[in-house]
Amino acid sequence: MDFRYTEEQEAFRSEVRHFIHEALPSHWLGVDPGPEEEEREEVHRLAVEIWRKLGGKGWIGLSWPKEYGGQDDPVKDWILKEELIYWGAPGMDIGVVQGDLILAFGTEEQKRRFIPPIARGEVKYAIGMSEPGVGSDMFALQLRAVEEEACYVLNGQKIWNSGIHRADWCVVYARTDPNAPKKHLGISVFIIDPKSPGITLRRITQMTGLAAFCEVFYDNVRVPKENLLGEKNKGKDVSMHAFAIERSYGLVILHNARRYFEQLVQYCKETYVNGQPLANDPVIRSSLAELAIEIEVGRNMGDRLNWMGGQNMLTVLPSCQTKVHGACVAQRVASVGMQILGLYGQLDEKSKWVQLGGRLRHMYLSSRGWSLAGGTSEISRNIIAGKYGLGLPS
Ligand SMILES: Cc1cc2nc3c(=O)[nH]c(=O)nc-3n(C[C@H](O)[C@H](O)[C@H](O)COP(=O)(O)OP(=O)(O)OC[C@H]3O[C@@H](n4cnc5c(N)ncnc54)[C@H](O)[C@@H]3O)c2cc1C
């Protein structure tokens, strides 16, 4: 087996790295801003700028067909994503995932309307799936959509919608048939403008201090019929496809953790405690060696997943495997990092004693959510145990 990339692909990787280093400020530590509003604004401004530059280079949706602004090149697509994630650059936008969905389920008119602005980096997307009490069991969702003459009227609530306060569009899952014999048969999907009359957003502050999520309240929100994505009451198919794509989020987590891990190794090489280098500590050496193995396993799983995706093969099983593994590895990197840094690990970025820019503390807190986002690890393990993997009865 030959896992190497071609010369042309490696040249593209170098071009991407060059682009990232030019685009990011020299003090850049990662995509998550500090908790202050002006820091968030600064990161948002940079994210919009980079997103537009990526669009200008034709690098958004590289795997999409050329007629919709892509380059039909899945390998380049994952090289770009890997580099953006590794360097903590903004640009891995939810819009790309929603573009994949629109390509799979949209009408020709919807593809022509919604895809090119994503490919040009002009619009931001959010996802409206979860509701209070409705997460893993998403087919129990209650947001109601009633069909009227030219539109659907939505009433109810969503929660945990990442970035919707900045988004131009949100792909929202709603109940169109409350009397369907099975609850998954009565769901439809809509592409909604979050600034529509009747929508109220309430920011949720996370334990990291960020406020990246919103609760979303729908009060008689009118959505034009042409914004229905896929067939009415067939939203289950869209959601299954969305979950399959979102579970490749495991790769995002893994490449993000890989950079932290490398910084941690460097820190151990350079840091002395009581005159002894940390790198000589047998417990630290063993922990880092374990992590190095897990990261390498994850990279191989990720390459396989990407390759299968590029061949249009069914990726339910490798996506779930990569998602579970990626979240576990990232959480372990954060835990080992916090143990190595000791009390320094708890300092925030503004302390003069802070180590590694305070990033591990942030990662430790945010990594808790990585086994939930895009479907929980428990649900992924259930899928691996079931018909796509071990064949155990459900
Ligand atoms: C960083 C982050 C970003 C997110 N972004 C979005 C977003 O943009 N849009 C959006 O709509 N949602 C978003 N979410 C919400 C996310 O999709 C849900 O948190 C997730 O689906 C789990 O739902 P829940 O929180 O209601 O937990 P629950 O489903 O209530 O689960 C609670 C616990 O029970 C376990 N559990 C539940 N059912 C089973 C079962 N059948 N077998 C075994 N264990 C089970 C779960 O694994 C979990 O550990 C985000 C979440 C995070 C953390």
Side-chain angles (χ1 to χ4, degrees):
M1 262 176 278
D2 185 355
F3 289 109
R4 280 173 303 182
Y5 291 94
T6 64
E7 267 181 37
E8 192 205 336
Q9 288 160 351
E10 288 298 354
F12 178 68
R13 188 185 291 280
S14 303
E15 196 185 342
V16 171
R17 275 189 198 156
H18 180 73
F19 166 82
I20 293 172
H21 291 140
E22 292 275 300
L24 291 178
S26 54
H27 63 272
W28 187 253
L29 291 170
V31 78
D32 295 316
E36 309 298 337
E37 194 58 40
E38 60 274 23
E39 291 171 297
R40 291 180 199 153
E41 281 306 315
E42 173 61 15
V43 170
H44 174 63
R45 190 197 55 69
L46 188 70
V48 169
E49 193 182 300
I50 292 184
W51 185 233
R52 281 188 181 262
K53 282 184 185 166
L54 287 170
K57 290 181 94 56
W59 286 357
I60 296 175
L62 280 162
S63 61
W64 296 345
K66 291 186 175 142
E67 57 195 297
Y68 301 111
Q71 293 186 20
D72 246 329
D73 194 333
V75 180
K76 272 189 172 175
D77 195 50
W78 79 65
I79 289 175
L80 175 82
K81 286 176 182 158
E82 190 179 320
E83 292 297 325
L84 287 171
I85 298 157
Y86 176 82
W87 294 105
M92 268 299 299
D93 198 89
I94 289 175
V96 181
V97 178
Q98 302 317 295
D100 287 342
L101 268 194
I102 295 168
L103 276 176
F105 293 93
T107 60
E108 192 52 39
E109 196 190 331
Q110 286 174 332
K111 290 180 200 174
R112 303 229 169 261
R113 177 179 168 205
F114 291 109
I115 299 287
I118 304 177
R120 290 195 296 268
E122 291 170 358
V123 287
K124 294 249 166 214
Y125 272 70
I127 306 169
M129 261 191 191
S130 309
E131 297 180 2
V134 178
S136 303
D137 184 16
M138 69 99 43
F139 298 136
L141 62 83
Q142 297 295 321
L143 177 75
R144 186 77 171 91
V146 177
E147 191 170 354
E148 286 191 358
E149 274 166 18
C151 65
Y152 287 85
V153 181
L154 272 63
N155 281 289
Q157 186 190 344
K158 293 284 174 188
I159 195 168
W160 313 125
N161 290 185
S162 303
I164 191 170
H165 56 296
R166 311 260 198 212
D168 302 283
W169 296 106
C170 184
V171 175
V172 176
Y173 297 72
R175 183 159 303 285
T176 32
D177 183 358
N179 302 317
K182 292 191 175 154
K183 58 189 179 185
H184 67 264
L185 297 176
I187 293 170
S188 304
V189 185
F190 300 92
I191 305 171
I192 291 180
D193 176 356
K195 293 169 196 75
S196 305
I199 295 185
T200 309
L201 305 181
R202 190 156 71 195
R203 305 272 291 269
I204 303 172
T205 305
Q206 297 144 250
M207 63 179 163
T208 53
L210 305 183
F213 300 121
C214 285
E215 281 182 283
V216 188
F217 302 91
Y218 291 81
D219 183 8
N220 286 322
V221 177
R222 306 181 85 76
V223 180
K225 278 191 176 163
E226 62 264 25
N227 287 26
L228 174 72
L229 180 63
E231 285 178 51
K232 185 180 176 188
N233 295 327
K234 296 267 180 74
K236 178 199 166 211
D237 301 342
V238 183
S239 71
M240 291 294 99
H241 198 86
F243 275 124
I245 306 172
E246 273 209 58
R247 287 197 180 99
S248 58
Y249 183 62
L251 282 179
V252 174
I253 305 165
L254 192 87
H255 290 302
N256 184 270
R258 184 161 61 86
R259 173 122 187 269
Y260 285 106
F261 172 71
E262 288 172 8
Q263 288 171 344
L264 199 56
V265 171
Q266 193 59 28
Y267 176 82
C268 292
K269 285 180 183 167
E270 292 168 354
T271 307
Y272 285 69
V273 174
N274 299 330
Q276 293 295 317
L278 276 182
N280 281 3
D281 183 305
V283 177
I284 289 178
R285 293 170 74 88
S286 171
S287 301
L288 292 177
E290 283 291 335
L291 287 176
I293 295 167
E294 290 174 15
I295 287 172
E296 198 52 36
V297 169
R299 283 190 84 169
N300 281 296
M301 288 167 77
D303 282 349
R304 178 167 160 263
L305 168 64
N306 281 331
W307 179 81
M308 288 174 72
Q311 305 294 310
N312 290 323
M313 292 165 77
L314 191 64
T315 55
V316 178
L317 183 61
S319 295
C320 287
Q321 291 167 332
T322 313
K323 173 76 175 28
V324 174
H325 186 72
C328 285
V329 173
Q331 287 169 354
R332 275 204 281 272
V333 169
S335 294
V336 169
M338 289 298 273
Q339 283 166 13
I340 291 175
L341 292 184
L343 292 174
Y344 290 109
Q346 297 175 25
L347 299 173
D348 78 15
E349 26 297 280
K350 293 196 175 63
S351 164
K352 68 173 178 174
W353 302 108
V354 75
Q355 304 292 329
L356 298 176
R359 303 300 301 162
L360 270 166
R361 168 182 166 276
H362 190 92
M363 183 198 186
Y364 183 79
L365 295 174
S366 58
S367 67
R368 302 298 109 189
W370 294 345
S371 42
L372 297 170
T376 71
S377 292
E378 288 75 23
I379 297 297
S380 284
R381 287 192 186 98
N382 273 342
I383 295 171
I384 294 166
K387 69 173 178 180
Y388 292 104
L390 304 179
L392 301 179
S394 47

Short mmCIF file of all heavy atoms in Angstrom, two decimals, residues 3-25:
data_model
loop_
_atom_site.label_atom_id
_atom_site.label_comp_id
_atom_site.label_asym_id
_atom_site.label_seq_id
_atom_site.Cartn_x
_atom_site.Cartn_y
_atom_site.Cartn_z
N PHE A 3 0.74 5.17 0.76
CA PHE A 3 -0.07 6.23 1.35
C PHE A 3 0.39 7.63 0.94
O PHE A 3 -0.15 8.61 1.41
CB PHE A 3 -0.04 6.14 2.88
CG PHE A 3 -0.79 4.97 3.43
CD1 PHE A 3 -0.13 3.91 3.99
CD2 PHE A 3 -2.18 4.96 3.39
CE1 PHE A 3 -0.83 2.82 4.50
CE2 PHE A 3 -2.89 3.88 3.89
CZ PHE A 3 -2.21 2.80 4.44
N ARG A 4 1.42 7.68 0.07
CA ARG A 4 1.95 9.01 -0.26
C ARG A 4 1.02 9.80 -1.17
O ARG A 4 0.28 9.21 -1.97
CB ARG A 4 3.31 8.86 -0.96
CG ARG A 4 4.45 8.63 0.02
CD ARG A 4 5.71 8.32 -0.73
NE ARG A 4 5.51 7.15 -1.61
CZ ARG A 4 6.45 6.62 -2.36
NH1 ARG A 4 7.64 7.15 -2.36
NH2 ARG A 4 6.20 5.57 -3.11
N TYR A 5 1.09 11.12 -1.04
CA TYR A 5 0.37 11.99 -1.96
C TYR A 5 1.24 12.22 -3.18
O TYR A 5 2.46 12.07 -3.13
CB TYR A 5 0.06 13.33 -1.27
CG TYR A 5 -0.96 13.20 -0.16
CD1 TYR A 5 -0.56 13.02 1.16
CD2 TYR A 5 -2.32 13.25 -0.44
CE1 TYR A 5 -1.50 12.90 2.18
CE2 TYR A 5 -3.26 13.13 0.57
CZ TYR A 5 -2.84 12.95 1.89
OH TYR A 5 -3.77 12.82 2.88
N THR A 6 0.61 12.60 -4.29
CA THR A 6 1.38 12.88 -5.51
C THR A 6 2.14 14.19 -5.33
O THR A 6 1.85 14.98 -4.42
CB THR A 6 0.44 13.04 -6.73
OG1 THR A 6 -0.37 14.20 -6.50
CG2 THR A 6 -0.44 11.82 -6.92
N GLU A 7 3.10 14.42 -6.23
CA GLU A 7 3.87 15.68 -6.17
C GLU A 7 2.96 16.89 -6.27
O GLU A 7 3.12 17.89 -5.58
CB GLU A 7 4.88 15.72 -7.31
CG GLU A 7 6.23 15.19 -6.92
CD GLU A 7 7.21 15.27 -8.07
OE1 GLU A 7 7.16 16.24 -8.83
OE2 GLU A 7 8.02 14.32 -8.19
N GLU A 8 1.96 16.79 -7.13
CA GLU A 8 1.04 17.91 -7.33
C GLU A 8 0.24 18.17 -6.05
O GLU A 8 0.04 19.32 -5.65
CB GLU A 8 0.09 17.56 -8.48
CG GLU A 8 -0.72 18.75 -8.96
CD GLU A 8 -2.02 18.32 -9.61
OE1 GLU A 8 -2.12 17.18 -10.10
OE2 GLU A 8 -2.97 19.15 -9.59
N GLN A 9 -0.16 17.07 -5.38
CA GLN A 9 -0.92 17.25 -4.13
C GLN A 9 -0.03 17.84 -3.04
O GLN A 9 -0.47 18.69 -2.26
CB GLN A 9 -1.51 15.90 -3.70
CG GLN A 9 -2.66 15.47 -4.59
CD GLN A 9 -2.95 13.97 -4.53
OE1 GLN A 9 -2.19 13.18 -3.95
NE2 GLN A 9 -4.05 13.57 -5.15
N GLU A 10 1.23 17.39 -2.97
CA GLU A 10 2.14 17.97 -1.97
C GLU A 10 2.41 19.45 -2.26
O GLU A 10 2.54 20.25 -1.34
CB GLU A 10 3.47 17.19 -1.93
CG GLU A 10 3.36 15.81 -1.29
CD GLU A 10 2.92 15.83 0.18
OE1 GLU A 10 2.79 16.91 0.78
OE2 GLU A 10 2.67 14.74 0.72
N ALA A 11 2.47 19.78 -3.55
CA ALA A 11 2.68 21.19 -3.92
C ALA A 11 1.46 22.01 -3.48
O ALA A 11 1.61 23.14 -2.99
CB ALA A 11 2.89 21.32 -5.43
N PHE A 12 0.28 21.42 -3.62
CA PHE A 12 -0.93 22.12 -3.17
C PHE A 12 -0.88 22.33 -1.65
O PHE A 12 -1.20 23.40 -1.14
CB PHE A 12 -2.18 21.33 -3.57
CG PHE A 12 -3.46 21.96 -3.10
CD1 PHE A 12 -3.89 23.17 -3.62
CD2 PHE A 12 -4.22 21.36 -2.09
CE1 PHE A 12 -5.06 23.77 -3.18
CE2 PHE A 12 -5.39 21.95 -1.64
CZ PHE A 12 -5.80 23.16 -2.18
N ARG A 13 -0.42 21.31 -0.93
CA ARG A 13 -0.32 21.44 0.54
C ARG A 13 0.61 22.61 0.91
O ARG A 13 0.29 23.41 1.78
CB ARG A 13 0.20 20.12 1.15
CG ARG A 13 0.16 20.10 2.67
CD ARG A 13 0.80 18.86 3.23
NE ARG A 13 0.05 17.64 2.97
CZ ARG A 13 -1.02 17.24 3.66
NH1 ARG A 13 -1.46 17.96 4.67
NH2 ARG A 13 -1.65 16.13 3.36
N SER A 14 1.75 22.70 0.20
CA SER A 14 2.68 23.81 0.48
C SER A 14 2.02 25.15 0.18
O SER A 14 2.19 26.12 0.93
CB SER A 14 3.94 23.71 -0.39
OG SER A 14 4.54 22.49 -0.17
N GLU A 15 1.26 25.20 -0.90
CA GLU A 15 0.58 26.45 -1.27
C GLU A 15 -0.43 26.83 -0.18
O GLU A 15 -0.52 28.00 0.21
CB GLU A 15 -0.14 26.22 -2.61
CG GLU A 15 -0.56 27.50 -3.29
CD GLU A 15 -1.39 27.21 -4.55
OE1 GLU A 15 -1.36 26.08 -5.07
OE2 GLU A 15 -2.09 28.15 -4.99
N VAL A 16 -1.14 25.82 0.35
CA VAL A 16 -2.12 26.09 1.40
C VAL A 16 -1.42 26.61 2.65
O VAL A 16 -1.84 27.60 3.26
CB VAL A 16 -2.94 24.81 1.74
CG1 VAL A 16 -3.80 25.04 2.97
CG2 VAL A 16 -3.80 24.40 0.57
N ARG A 17 -0.30 25.97 3.02
CA ARG A 17 0.45 26.41 4.22
C ARG A 17 0.91 27.86 4.07
O ARG A 17 0.80 28.65 4.99
CB ARG A 17 1.67 25.52 4.44
CG ARG A 17 1.31 24.29 5.20
CD ARG A 17 2.53 23.50 5.61
NE ARG A 17 2.07 22.16 5.94
CZ ARG A 17 2.81 21.09 5.92
NH1 ARG A 17 4.07 21.16 5.59
NH2 ARG A 17 2.29 19.92 6.24
N HIS A 18 1.40 28.14 2.88
CA HIS A 18 1.87 29.50 2.61
C HIS A 18 0.70 30.49 2.77
O HIS A 18 0.83 31.52 3.44
CB HIS A 18 2.45 29.57 1.20
CG HIS A 18 2.96 30.91 0.84
ND1 HIS A 18 4.13 31.43 1.36
CD2 HIS A 18 2.45 31.89 0.04
CE1 HIS A 18 4.32 32.64 0.88
NE2 HIS A 18 3.30 32.95 0.10
N PHE A 19 -0.43 30.12 2.20
CA PHE A 19 -1.62 30.97 2.29
C PHE A 19 -2.00 31.21 3.76
O PHE A 19 -2.26 32.33 4.18
CB PHE A 19 -2.79 30.31 1.54
CG PHE A 19 -4.12 30.92 1.84
CD1 PHE A 19 -4.54 32.07 1.18
CD2 PHE A 19 -4.97 30.36 2.80
CE1 PHE A 19 -5.77 32.65 1.47
CE2 PHE A 19 -6.19 30.94 3.10
CZ PHE A 19 -6.60 32.09 2.43
N ILE A 20 -1.99 30.12 4.54
CA ILE A 20 -2.41 30.23 5.95
C ILE A 20 -1.45 31.15 6.71
O ILE A 20 -1.87 32.02 7.47
CB ILE A 20 -2.49 28.83 6.61
CG1 ILE A 20 -3.62 28.02 5.98
CG2 ILE A 20 -2.69 28.94 8.11
CD1 ILE A 20 -3.67 26.56 6.40
N HIS A 21 -0.15 30.96 6.49
CA HIS A 21 0.81 31.78 7.24
C HIS A 21 0.74 33.26 6.84
O HIS A 21 0.95 34.14 7.66
CB HIS A 21 2.23 31.22 7.07
CG HIS A 21 2.35 29.91 7.77
ND1 HIS A 21 3.05 28.85 7.26
CD2 HIS A 21 1.81 29.46 8.93
CE1 HIS A 21 2.94 27.82 8.08
NE2 HIS A 21 2.20 28.17 9.10
N GLU A 22 0.40 33.51 5.59
CA GLU A 22 0.22 34.90 5.15
C GLU A 22 -1.04 35.51 5.75
O GLU A 22 -1.08 36.68 6.11
CB GLU A 22 0.06 34.94 3.62
CG GLU A 22 1.30 34.57 2.86
CD GLU A 22 2.22 35.76 2.68
OE1 GLU A 22 1.79 36.75 2.08
OE2 GLU A 22 3.37 35.68 3.18
N ALA A 23 -2.09 34.65 5.86
CA ALA A 23 -3.41 35.17 6.26
C ALA A 23 -3.54 35.37 7.77
O ALA A 23 -4.31 36.22 8.22
CB ALA A 23 -4.51 34.22 5.77
N LEU A 24 -2.77 34.59 8.56
CA LEU A 24 -2.94 34.67 10.01
C LEU A 24 -1.98 35.68 10.62
O LEU A 24 -0.83 35.80 10.18
CB LEU A 24 -2.66 33.30 10.65
CG LEU A 24 -3.67 32.19 10.37
CD1 LEU A 24 -3.22 30.89 11.04
CD2 LEU A 24 -5.06 32.58 10.86
N PRO A 25 -2.42 36.40 11.65
CA PRO A 25 -1.49 37.29 12.35
C PRO A 25 -0.39 36.48 13.04
O PRO A 25 -0.61 35.30 13.38
CB PRO A 25 -2.36 37.98 13.39
CG PRO A 25 -3.74 37.49 13.22
CD PRO A 25 -3.77 36.39 12.22
#
